[in-house]
Amino acid sequence: MRIKIEKMKNYVNDHKMIFICGLLTVLAILPFIIQDNYIKGILVKMLMYGTLASSLNIINGYSGQNNLGQAGFMCIGAYTAGIIATSTNVNFVFTLIFAGIVAAIFGYLVSLPTLKLTGIYLSIVTLGFSEIVRLTALNWTPVTGGAMGIKGIPNPSIGGFLLNKPEHYYLIALAMLVICLFCMNRVIKSRVGRAWLSIREDEAAAKSLGVETYKYKSINFVYGALWAGVGGAFMAYYYRFLSADMFILDEGFNVLAMIVVGGQGTLIGPLLGSVIVNTLTEVFRFASEYRMVVYAILIIGMMWWRPQGLAGASDSILAGGASLKTDKKNKDKKVVKADGNLRG
Amino acid sequence: MYLLEQLLNGLCQGSIYALMAIGYTMIYGVVGLVTFSYGEVVMLGAFSAFYISTAFGSNIVLGAIGGFVGAGIIGIVIHKVCYEKFLDAPKHIALLCTIGMSMLLKNLAQIVFGSQVKAMPEVIVSKNIEFLGLRVTNLQIIILAVVIILSISLSLFLSRTKGGMMLRAVSQDKKAASLVGINVKRTTMLGNCIGCGLGGVAGVLLGIYYGTIVPTMGGMVGLKAMSACVLGGLTNIPGAAIGGLTIGVLENLGIMVFSSGYRDIFAFIFLVIVLLFCPQGLFIQRKGRK
């Protein structure tokens, strides 16, 4: 059985491009096959949260910093897009990019006090940042609309062609996710990505080998915030309505739950987590108050039995106790894994 | 005069935050792991006091004991679920576990207690006392007194009793403590239980001070306790108390300058600024812990 799976894995790896192209084609055609608008909406949500979870995965999964305030970056991106879209008439692609850049600037600002911090200090600063952003959005009425929020965000359009159907949003979200994952894949395999991974595995060792940890941690925050901003901007266009309540800490924890379930530090993990969590959301829609309870049990259960997530390798450093037990057995394998396949 | 009154309000709120921060520091010091479910513990302490007061008549001593016991029991549950298995595992696992626990407790509380705001039964008839031209309510004095009594008894417990010595030993070095025959698991559970109990009493005081309790009250309050603890340097109990007082005072002074909608921001902005300049918190301990 195991040999068969190995063989299949090798086959897929050898013909990676073909498989990816095939999968993309299927995904692109999907909304035109499915007629139900409700299911299309769920699919759009899955892709959107896939991007958002990937953005958090950049920070939490690849450089091992415990950022818990991703909702703050999303909020900045969404409000930037909302304000631009309601007051000016620029193309929505530009708005998405601009929102990402604004969020990235804030990501840099957050990274400044957190560079020297680790563990709880970092977590509490990011949490505090998220709340600062949300409360500012709630109270800065002239710009953000205050408690009323931003209403009537126009549908995006490309060259006069109005994009207002669920399948249009689906294709935009798909394009966003694919670009995000593609860029991430490239970045993780570059010098910067290797620096992040080395910081995650052992910061002191990375420093002693000449990795400028402050610089790379800062870049990490900026890059993660950039994609969170883009995802948030898409959120603004998709819901066409923004209020500060959409970015409470629970929203950040929701995204966190996705990467925990899917697997931190893997490319496919956040998407997998997004699919699972969004499916659960819809399954438990009849009992909406129990939904968060289910999330909570999911997070605790994952931590108890599979802390590296569904897609995570069992010899990953994130696996914690499980890996400690099998450490001796897998020692040789681990070394090969560490420099051969960077879990990208 | 207005400034002085706001300062006094700040001190009163700050003392509640200080009590929470002391409990938080206790947990972090003994267990060595972060908790994000502390706000929910505070909330559950307030709710157990609420149900005890409605059942047995309102009495502040009874309410405080109820809050302590209720929150302490939750502390044991949290310890069993989130810490016991992960004492030696990477720290982010326990952290995520407590986040899950926080979501679980908050939403279960909303289902069990109902999500609407509840009025805390009036424990003390509020009276204004003129003191050197300042208007002070007897509620503020009682809250300050409760906090001071609890802090003193905690420090006596830690320095004079066998249990306190065990707690301090475990917080300094778990391995060495187990070598001299201390049951580390049970001691960490005790520390967690006491820390959570103090949080529960703080929740009761918060409920009495504002007059209302709600299942979602924990989130912001827990964050503030955590900020106060970080300001004090994480394992420093007097430092945490001063951190809590500082946050309470700053909030009330901030309201005077900006609108009250921004109230919850000041604590975090102050925290970020402090951490920017001294990443170890306001009070650096002379004895280093790893």
Side-chain angles (χ1 to χ4, degrees), chain B residues 60-74:
Chain B
I60 186 164
V61 179
L62 206 64
I65 292 172
F68 191 90
V69 173
I73 292 169
I74 298 295

Side-chain angles (χ1 to χ4, degrees), chain A residues 4-224:
Chain A
K4 257 186 189 170
I5 292 173
E6 271 312 298
K7 257 187 184 170
M8 252 168 76
K9 260 188 191 166
N10 282 338
Y11 186 75
V12 172
N13 273 337
D14 290 346
H15 304 81
K16 221 173 188 175
M17 272 329 280
I18 301 171
F19 272 96
I20 290 175
C21 289
L23 191 67
L24 276 181
T25 328
V26 171
L27 281 175
I29 299 172
L30 202 61
F32 300 102
I33 300 169
I34 297 167
Q35 292 301 322
D36 197 348
N37 272 350
Y38 171 67
I39 293 175
K40 277 184 211 164
I42 298 170
L43 288 175
V44 174
K45 258 185 151 179
M46 281 175 185
L47 295 176
M48 181 173 81
Y49 277 104
T51 311
L52 292 171
S54 297
S55 78
L56 183 61
N57 186 31
I58 293 167
I59 301 175
N60 281 24
Y62 283 111
S63 77
Q65 313 189 66
N66 271 321
N67 172 21
L68 302 176
Q70 197 71 354
F73 296 126
M74 281 154 62
C75 184
I76 289 170
Y79 268 92
T80 311
I83 291 163
I84 292 177
T86 45
S87 56
T88 61
N89 203 7
V90 290
N91 193 308
F92 86 99
V93 176
F94 168 78
T95 317
L96 288 190
I97 295 169
F98 185 74
I101 290 170
V102 171
I105 292 169
F106 276 92
Y108 179 66
L109 291 180
V110 173
S111 80
L112 285 182
T114 54
L115 286 178
K116 293 177 194 166
L117 308 175
T118 49
I120 180 184
Y121 292 105
L122 187 97
S123 309
I124 181 82
V125 167
T126 49
L127 266 183
F129 162 76
S130 170
E131 280 299 282
I132 290 174
V133 169
R134 182 180 71 85
L135 289 167
T136 311
L138 186 64
N139 286 298
W140 196 12
T141 312
V143 176
T144 62
M148 300 283 290
I150 296 178
K151 276 182 216 151
I153 295 166
N155 281 320
S157 63
I158 294 181
F161 181 66
L162 198 63
L163 304 167
N164 55 357
K165 289 209 177 109
E167 49 262 36
H168 298 152
Y169 281 109
Y170 177 89
L171 289 178
I172 299 170
L174 184 66
M176 189 170 71
L177 180 70
V178 168
I179 293 170
C180 173
L181 288 182
F182 176 74
C183 291
M184 232 168 94
N185 192 21
R186 301 303 298 165
V187 169
I188 293 307
K189 285 178 180 158
S190 73
R191 184 189 174 83
V192 180
R194 288 198 301 271
W196 292 346
L197 289 176
S198 69
I199 290 170
R200 177 184 76 183
E201 304 291 319
D202 192 333
E203 189 166 346
K207 229 178 198 170
S208 75
L209 289 173
V211 177
E212 296 161 88
T213 50
Y214 288 174
K215 184 175 126 193
Y216 285 110
K217 274 157 94 175
S218 193
I219 293 175
N220 183 256
F221 250 92
V222 169
Y223 190 63

